[in-house]
Amino acid sequence: MMVNDTEYIHQDAASRVKVLSEALPYIQKFAGRTVVVKYGGAAMKDSTLKDKVIRDVVFLSCVGLRPILVHGGGPEINTWLGKIGIEPQFKDGLRVTDAPTMEVVEMVLVGRVNKEIVAKINQAGGNAVGLCGKDGNLITARHQGQEGIGFVGEVSSVNTEILGTLVESGYIPVVSSVAADDTGQAYNINADTVAGEIAAALGAEKLILLTDTRGILENYQEPSTLIPKVDIKEARDLISRGIVAGGMIPKVTCCVRSLAQGVRAAHIIDGRIPHALLLEIFTDGGIGTMILGSQIK
């Protein structure tokens, strides 16, 4: 029994060394580069997955990458709306955000979810700073334009100075998707959109969206039909053909928009897989769909 245990330990150690060896070229390649991660879905709701995402983000920082975490918090917003007797409403996939709902959104995203993530990163050995779009005029918002949805916004501009200062000093910015317009009116903005616009403004190496699907699938009912790599043209074609549909359309569109503005690669990956970030960035095969800005060779 002792021999078997020793053999297992040796095999396990060899496996870890192999993974580290495979990761080394990627660590060298991406050191000093900015990676914007949109954190949401099951990876935020499951405590075990949450801890693994936090550790992955700290790992990225420790090996020389510059991670920026952008988060949503829809389920917790719904919980708090229920506590005060407000029924959550949605229109065309957007949360209807009247004035009372906006107060709850800001309280939950900025005051609770953001600070919880910051605390967990710090506990894991990182140095995190929590921000929303209002801080340092990080994000200027404008109304999304659709009638009947209240204070739902989109990104008008991004002030990169504060983010640049933080990442250059070794901090991990954690950004909630609340921002204000020029009059000070607060807006609720889709977190995917915020992540994409921040990545574009910074000229990030990567935009990574953590989702509850494996990536872009040829057949959404068959996880085995994952498309591992596409370029902008092919991604747009997948949307026009209806292969990318429903909730995946805004995610892919967000990626395409960020790539068109200079982001080098965008990734849609399954946040339900433990250590999904490290598997996508530091392994040869990756685990999701990578979208590139130019023709794949």
Side-chain angles (χ1 to χ4, degrees), residues 1 7 73 76 134 171 207 213 221 263:
M1 186 67 181
E7 288 178 354
E76 188 154 353
K134 292 182 177 182
Y171 291 97
L207 167 66
T213 182
Q221 295 180 321
V263 174

Side-chain angles (χ1 to χ4, degrees), residues 7-60:
E7 288 178 354
Y8 173 77
I9 292 170
H10 287 169
Q11 289 171 0
D12 185 55
S15 176
R16 293 187 181 191
V17 169
K18 181 180 179 182
V19 170
L20 288 172
S21 178
E22 183 176 332
L24 179 59
Y26 297 99
I27 293 173
Q28 293 171 323
K29 179 180 180 180
F30 299 134
R33 306 290 181 87
T34 299
V35 176
V36 179
V37 178
K38 188 272 179 164
Y39 179 36
M44 282 189 72
K45 292 180 282 188
D46 183 287
S47 59
T48 302
L49 289 174
K50 184 182 297 185
D51 289 342
K52 286 179 168 54
V53 171
I54 296 301
R55 288 174 63 87
D56 286 1
V57 171
V58 173
F59 181 89
L60 295 178

Side-chain angles (χ1 to χ4, degrees), residues 47-259:
S47 59
T48 302
L49 289 174
K50 184 182 297 185
D51 289 342
K52 286 179 168 54
V53 171
I54 296 301
R55 288 174 63 87
D56 286 1
V57 171
V58 173
F59 181 89
L60 295 178
S61 180
C62 287
V63 298
L65 280 74
R66 296 176 170 180
I68 296 172
L69 201 62
V70 178
H71 68 85
E76 188 154 353
I77 292 171
N78 290 342
T79 297
W80 280 89
L81 287 173
K83 288 181 179 181
I84 61 174
I86 297 177
E87 182 71 24
Q89 297 181 50
F90 295 86
K91 182 178 180 180
D92 298 330
L94 299 172
R95 181 184 298 278
V96 176
T97 310
D98 58 11
T101 301
M102 187 65 235
E103 290 182 6
V104 174
V105 167
E106 190 162 6
M107 176 193 74
V108 172
L109 293 186
V110 180
R112 290 184 58 84
V113 177
N114 186 271
K115 300 314 172 190
E116 179 190 1
I117 296 170
V118 166
K120 285 185 173 295
I121 291 175
N122 291 338
Q123 289 167 5
N127 292 306
V129 176
L131 302 164
C132 74
K134 292 182 177 182
D135 295 311
N137 292 317
L138 173 59
I139 298 168
T140 303
R142 60 174 176 255
H143 192 271
Q144 194 263 355
Q146 185 173 338
E147 296 295 328
I149 57 173
F151 299 108
V152 176
E154 58 187 18
V155 176
S156 177
S157 64
V158 177
N159 178 359
T160 60
E161 182 178 358
I162 186 170
L163 294 175
T165 299
L166 288 170
V167 297
E168 287 170 12
S169 300
Y171 291 97
I172 302 169
V174 179
V175 182
S176 64
S177 56
V178 171
D181 63 16
D182 292 332
T183 71
Q185 172 61 55
Y187 284 92
N188 177 26
I189 307 178
N190 177 274
D192 289 337
T193 299
V194 171
E197 293 301 316
I198 287 176
L202 291 169
E205 178 71 27
K206 292 181 180 294
L207 167 66
I208 302 177
L209 307 183
L210 289 173
T211 69
D212 289 344
T213 182
R214 287 197 63 192
I216 300 176
L217 306 176
E218 283 278 2
N219 180 348
Y220 75 93
Q221 295 180 321
E222 293 292 338
S224 62
T225 63
L226 175 71
I227 302 173
K229 188 181 293 186
V230 295
D231 62 24
I232 285 181
K233 183 177 180 297
E234 290 166 335
R236 287 171 173 157
D237 181 60
L238 290 171
I239 294 174
S240 67
R241 290 163 54 200
I243 292 175
V244 171
M248 284 296 288
I249 292 177
K251 293 184 184 298
V252 174
T253 301
C254 165
C255 291
V256 167
R257 178 174 167 81
S258 69
L259 291 165

